[in-house]
Amino acid sequence: MKAGYDVADLIVVGGGIHGCSAALHAAMRGMSVIVIERDTVARHASGVNAGNVRRCGRDFAEMPISVHSMNIWRHMVDLVDDDCGFQQAPVIVMAESDSDLEVVRQRVADVRLNGYDHEVILDQSQLREYVPSAAPHCLGAFATLDDGHAQPYQTVLAFQRKAQALGVRFYEQTAINTVRRSGADWEVIGRDGVRFSGHYFLNCAGAWGGEFSRQLGEPVPIEPIAPMMMVTNRMPHFCDAVLSLVSRPLSLKQTSSGTVVIGGGRRGDLVPGTLSGEIRFTELQLAAETVLSVFPVMSAAKIVRAWTGIEGYLPDRLPIIGRSSTEENAFHAFGFSTHGFQLGPGVGDIMAELIATGSTNAPISPFDITRFNHDGAETRAKPANGRSW
Amino acid sequence: MAGDAVSHYDVAVIGAGPAGMAAAIEGSRAGLSVIVLDEQELPGGQIYRAVERAPRARLRILGDDYADGGALVSEFRATNATYVAGAMVWNVNPQLIIDYSQDGASREITATALVVASGAMERPTPVPGWTLPGVVTAGACQILLKAHGLVEDNLAFIGSGPLLWLVAAQMIAAGKRPVAIIETVPAARYAAALLKLPLNPTALGYLRKGAKLMRTVKRSKAPIYRDATEIVISGDQRASVVNFVSGGRGHQIEADLFALHQGVVPNQQITRLLRCEHRWDERQRCFVPVCDRFGETSVPNVYVAGDGAGIAGARAATLQGRIAALRIAEKAGRAVGPSTSLQASLCREASIRPFLETLYAPSAAVRSPAAETIVCRCEEVTAGCIRNAVDLGAPGANQVKSFLRSGMGPCQGRFCGLTVTEIIAERKGEAPSLVDYYRVRPPLKPLPLSELARFSIEPGTEDRVE
């Protein structure tokens, strides 16, 4: 191996949860793997997200892989020798109006219809039991009582560490310019001339994944966005669940130290030309208003910090998972549209199986890149699963 | 939302210490519209805190250098700059949109140029016991003295730096002799520092002042322990005793209050928030923003004046404030003279720094604390945990922050940032510049959620102009 050149069976671009998980699972199947990360591992959405580990409210297309992932989360120590801070907790989506309640009923009916039973209806008194601090106008909810949350950075670092222990080589601070064929193999060339070569190529580049699918001749309409989060000072304990609302953007969770993490979809600004985010306080003001209207107890809270994470957002809010439609031995797992953290362990397993064996039984066809035509436009309607949270 | 009604100024100045006041004076003189946002209720910064209201007896205790600040404050008061007291700036973005909180409400202004004059803060001093009640900093003692005339009984000073001797001398002038001065400067430093002493009148003037402070303390018969190491503060519920080694043997001293000090470092919260480029200053052992000779940072139209640009003292800060304002005026097309003579004065002021920085470099103990010593007070993270996170693969300050939550608490790393950088650098055998520093996030200081909920963009007001 000469300086600036490395070879493996599989080249993964992107050192987030998906890249690290796929690398680990591929190594467990005996492949040699290189992971290339333009920044540092878990620098963006994977390391700074809210850490929610939920099946609750997901699009039904995602549900089988989410359930598979959940089974891995529950035994995380067995996989990566680290509990990743995973804690089981209820995930509750609260209704604030009669029309919200109708959405709740419909959602849980759809869940049953699709053959799942993890989501249940909470009536107002049951909601009070789980969330005594919710404002009186909260009428009920749908919930998954055995979802949970984890520590995002700790998680990704644990995947990286375990992958390294199995021989995976990580190249951080290495931006990739070009992915191209070189005979039967893939050649991946860094901005500073460093070269990698592998039989298989996997695009886990998150918000940056569109650049590599474009180079493979299959552009997608991915949009980088900067969802905002904020965290408060330590508050007296008032909540054990991960909470959100049926019809307003909000996600709220109290950590074991008492701080309250608030997110849920308000977007900051992307700094032009940098793909880094900046807080837009006029938007965050709306989040503060929402929190106070639902949790009067939060009127004493102070915001200690606000931040953004860069996410790749697709118009149908579903990720791209599967083979390249244009090239042999190239694969994608990116564009998780703000809800990829929980899926990471499961999707990595599925991708490793697909790459190593040539097929998978996991139902990933809804995430095929061909749902966008090669002009990058969507060619198929969003799977008719109704809305997701 | 009345976005277009936000008040705009040619220059926004954050901080009303010597640098900020000087920038406002010079900017106003050049005909620029200037707003000064300051957290305190009175102008003066830390160095001239409450100088306008200090009774004569207090002025005598605090000395001529403090009293001299009164003239600068008067000159600042006489300008037509908009002065907003009690304003906590909580967000600044590179487009120079500035959000601040005053009297429980937040407002927004915009500016063409920004002068960050937010000064210095005391270097974190993580020694065993530093988080106990009854342990403060020398700077905090001086704040009480300046603002309220309060002087503590039975106080022991521990550490190094000019401020340690200044506050001790001021206490003695106020009639309260410290229990002890426990200085951590290694004996060998004196010879090394003397080699850096320039022989010009400005530098020698500073040297004479320092010698006078030390004489005052010695004459008071306060016990002075030199070259102290292995400092451990302890006590039941509250700090009551300090153990240390000096002169080859162990000592134990009881006191009611312990004032730590290891020099001051730039307050980099605003320049970090703005993502200005910073560099590691090996002599000052801290990060400083990269500035041109006018104080302009890597972010266009953002200037730093005063100790925030690197520790240089109050007189240098005044010069830097004027230089920055003159540059802004020049860029705005105003007819102003050159700042050449101010630059020359600034060089003279800076000439004493290599001597002071060599002599009073922070002690090894605070740069590399013992494993069980808490480094991040907000999240209670020890030095040992930080080293462990590095061993587990966290490559820099921000990854350690993500891993351990160090620097995520209400102080946003003010109390631990530099120590964390030093610990990681030592553990990895890497330069601190590579380890980097925490990314600072808005709000710069905790902001009530209810205040944010009421925050709508209204014009910044001038109702607190005094």
Side-chain angles (χ1 to χ4, degrees), chain A residues 40 43 153 157 161 234 271 277-279 281-282 284-285 288-289 291-292 298-299 301-307, chain B residues 90-91 94-95 275 378-379 392 399 402-403 408-410 412 439 441-443 446-450 452-453 455:
Chain A
T40 52
R43 165 67 183 88
Y153 183 75
L157 207 65
R161 210 162 48 239
R234 296 178 188 201
V271 181
E278 201 158 88
I279 297 293
F281 275 97
T282 47
L284 213 55
Q285 180 260 334
E289 253 176 19
V291 171
L292 290 175
M298 290 291 285
S299 60
K302 287 184 169 184
I303 305 158
V304 167
R305 210 155 29 86
W307 69 96
Chain B
W90 52 264
N91 188 36
Q95 293 79 47
R275 301 193 185 105
C378 300
E379 298 290 331
L392 281 175
Q399 291 81 8
S402 296
F403 202 77
M408 284 195 181
Q412 278 224 51
R439 283 184 285 274
R441 305 298 193 193
L447 178 72
L449 187 70
S450 54
L452 177 59
F455 179 53

Side-chain angles (χ1 to χ4, degrees), chain B residues 364-378:
Chain B
V366 302
R367 288 167 39 204
S368 179
E372 62 280 4
T373 303
I374 285 179
V375 171
C376 166
R377 304 174 69 128
C378 300

Side-chain angles (χ1 to χ4, degrees), chain B residues 29-52:
Chain B
R29 192 180 290 155
L32 301 172
S33 62
V34 180
I35 183 169
V36 179
L37 302 167
D38 188 52
E39 268 186 48
Q40 296 187 40
E41 293 302 325
L42 294 168
Q46 297 295 350
I47 189 93
Y48 305 132
R49 176 185 283 271
V51 67
E52 291 169 306

